[in-house]
Amino acid sequence: MNFSLGEGDSEDEAFAPDDEADDDVFAAASDESDFEDLEPKPKKARVSPKKSPAKKIKSASVVKKTAASKAKATSAKSIQAKASSAVKKSPAAPKPKPMNAGDAEAAVLDYMRKTNRPYSLLNVFENMHRAIAKPSLTKLLDNLVAKEELVSKTYGKAKIYYMNQNNLPVPSEAEHLALEEQIKTVTADCAASEQELKNAEATLSGITLQISDADLDAALKQLDEEAATLEKKVETLDQPDRSPVSPGRKDALKRKFTTYRTAWVQRKRIAMDGVNQIADGMEKKTKAVLDLVGVETDEEAGIKELPTI
């Protein structure tokens, strides 16, 4: 098919209808897109979030109680562990070796002969350091009684065993006298030792009560200083150019001395009157009351007479 263009036609005019058609297509497409934008969109259903299960809230008191109980449990466990470790570490006491019947009988008989005192079954069991079981020990003691090595007596529920005195050797008269002499000698030695001990204790107490060398040196030093001070005072008093005491000062000193001496006498009389009344009420001597009260008299202080001018 041939197309021909006329003289008055141009290329733009030939393709004009096609451009209009394209514009219509684009316009329709744009209108459809506009309608799509204006259409209401379907709303999505809201899904509420799942609620987590409510946690149980423990009160502070419950928490404290549980913590305290746990602490007590741990402390108790630690104490038990320490005790068990201490028990494990401590060496166990050695168990006494079991004795056969012959050795046990000989040991019990020897012990009863040496002590020669009455014992119960429990006493023998403990004194033998539990080396023999109680049932065996009971049979053993009864066998010794049957052999007349021991004698038994029953006091209520208690049964006492002691050595048969008829089997013990009786000392001769010479041995008896020798033992008495030996006892006298030992008694005299004991008395002499006690006397020596008393003398040694008296010597020790005397030494401890004496002044030590350091205290003695300090006392001598103090006395030397006092003597030097008094010597200086005497030298000043012996000087011829020393100014004499004025009469007014001398009278003042006398009045002061008289005042103090009068007060001394009055207070001493009041105190002694009270002490004498107490002594009469207690029916005791004045000296005893003074010692009881703790009053120091002038005589005890070294003052035999009251000073005078």
Side-chain angles (χ1 to χ4, degrees):
M1 186 174 180
N2 295 325
F3 292 94
S4 61
L5 296 174
E7 294 178 356
D9 295 333
S10 62
E11 293 179 1
D12 295 333
E13 290 177 354
F15 290 95
D18 295 333
D19 293 336
E20 291 177 359
D22 292 336
D23 292 337
D24 294 337
V25 172
F26 284 120
S30 62
D31 292 338
E32 290 178 359
S33 62
D34 292 337
F35 282 116
E36 289 178 358
D37 294 336
L38 293 174
E39 288 180 358
K41 295 181 180 180
K43 294 182 179 180
K44 295 182 180 180
R46 291 183 180 179
V47 180
S48 60
K50 294 182 180 180
K51 295 182 179 180
S52 59
K55 296 182 179 180
K56 295 182 180 180
I57 301 173
K58 294 183 179 180
S59 62
S61 62
V62 175
V63 173
K64 289 182 180 179
K65 287 181 180 179
T66 54
S69 62
K70 288 181 180 179
K72 288 181 180 178
T74 53
S75 62
K77 288 181 180 179
S78 62
I79 292 170
Q80 290 178 358
K82 289 181 181 179
S84 61
S85 62
V87 170
K88 290 180 181 178
K89 289 180 181 179
S90 60
K95 294 182 179 180
K97 295 181 180 180
M99 302 172 65
N100 55 28
D103 295 340
E105 184 175 348
V108 171
L109 185 60
D110 183 62
Y111 173 74
M112 297 295 288
R113 185 183 293 109
K114 286 180 179 179
T115 56
N116 196 18
R117 293 178 59 185
Y119 291 111
S120 65
L121 173 64
L122 184 60
N123 296 140
V124 178
F125 177 70
E126 294 293 339
N127 294 339
M128 296 298 293
H129 305 289
R130 302 186 179 186
I132 307 170
K134 281 186 180 181
S136 302
L137 185 60
T138 305
K139 294 179 182 179
L140 190 148
L141 291 172
D142 292 337
N143 290 335
L144 290 174
V145 171
K147 293 179 182 179
E148 295 184 355
E149 295 288 345
L150 299 179
V151 178
S152 65
K153 286 188 178 181
T154 304
Y155 298 94
K157 294 182 179 180
K159 195 172 184 180
I160 305 300
Y161 299 90
Y162 58 92
M163 193 68 190
N164 190 352
Q165 302 299 309
N166 297 327
N167 296 336
L168 296 177
V170 179
S172 62
E173 188 66 23
E175 292 177 351
H176 184 70
L177 293 175
L179 287 174
E180 287 185 353
E181 291 295 332
Q182 187 178 359
I183 290 171
K184 290 180 181 179
T185 304
V186 172
T187 304
D189 293 341
C190 182
S193 299
E194 288 180 354
Q195 187 62 35
E196 290 179 0
L197 178 61
K198 289 181 180 179
N199 295 335
E201 289 178 350
T203 305
L204 178 62
S205 62
I207 292 172
T208 53
L209 291 175
Q210 289 179 358
I211 301 175
S212 62
D213 294 341
D215 295 339
L216 188 60
D217 293 338
L220 288 174
K221 185 178 180 180
Q222 184 178 0
L223 291 174
D224 291 338
E225 292 176 356
E226 291 179 0
T229 304
L230 292 175
E231 287 177 357
K232 289 181 180 179
K233 189 174 182 180
V234 169
E235 289 177 359
T236 55
L237 292 174
D238 291 340
Q239 291 178 0
D241 56 348
R242 182 180 63 84
S243 59
V245 179
S246 62
R249 179 173 174 77
K250 188 182 293 185
D251 293 338
L253 291 173
K254 285 182 179 180
R255 287 194 300 271
K256 194 173 183 180
F257 174 80
T258 304
T259 302
Y260 288 150
R261 188 180 185 281
T262 304
W264 186 352
V265 172
Q266 290 178 353
R267 295 186 181 186
K268 181 178 180 180
R269 183 173 60 252
I270 293 170
M272 292 307 298
D273 290 342
V275 170
N276 291 329
Q277 290 179 5
I278 294 172
D280 292 339
M282 296 177 66
E283 296 182 356
K284 290 186 177 182
K285 294 183 179 180
T286 306
K287 178 65 175 174
V289 176
L290 290 173
D291 294 338
L292 180 63
V293 178
V295 177
E296 185 181 8
T297 60
D298 294 339
E299 290 76 10
E300 292 177 353
I303 302 173
K304 296 181 180 180
E305 295 180 359
L306 293 178
T308 57
I309 296 177

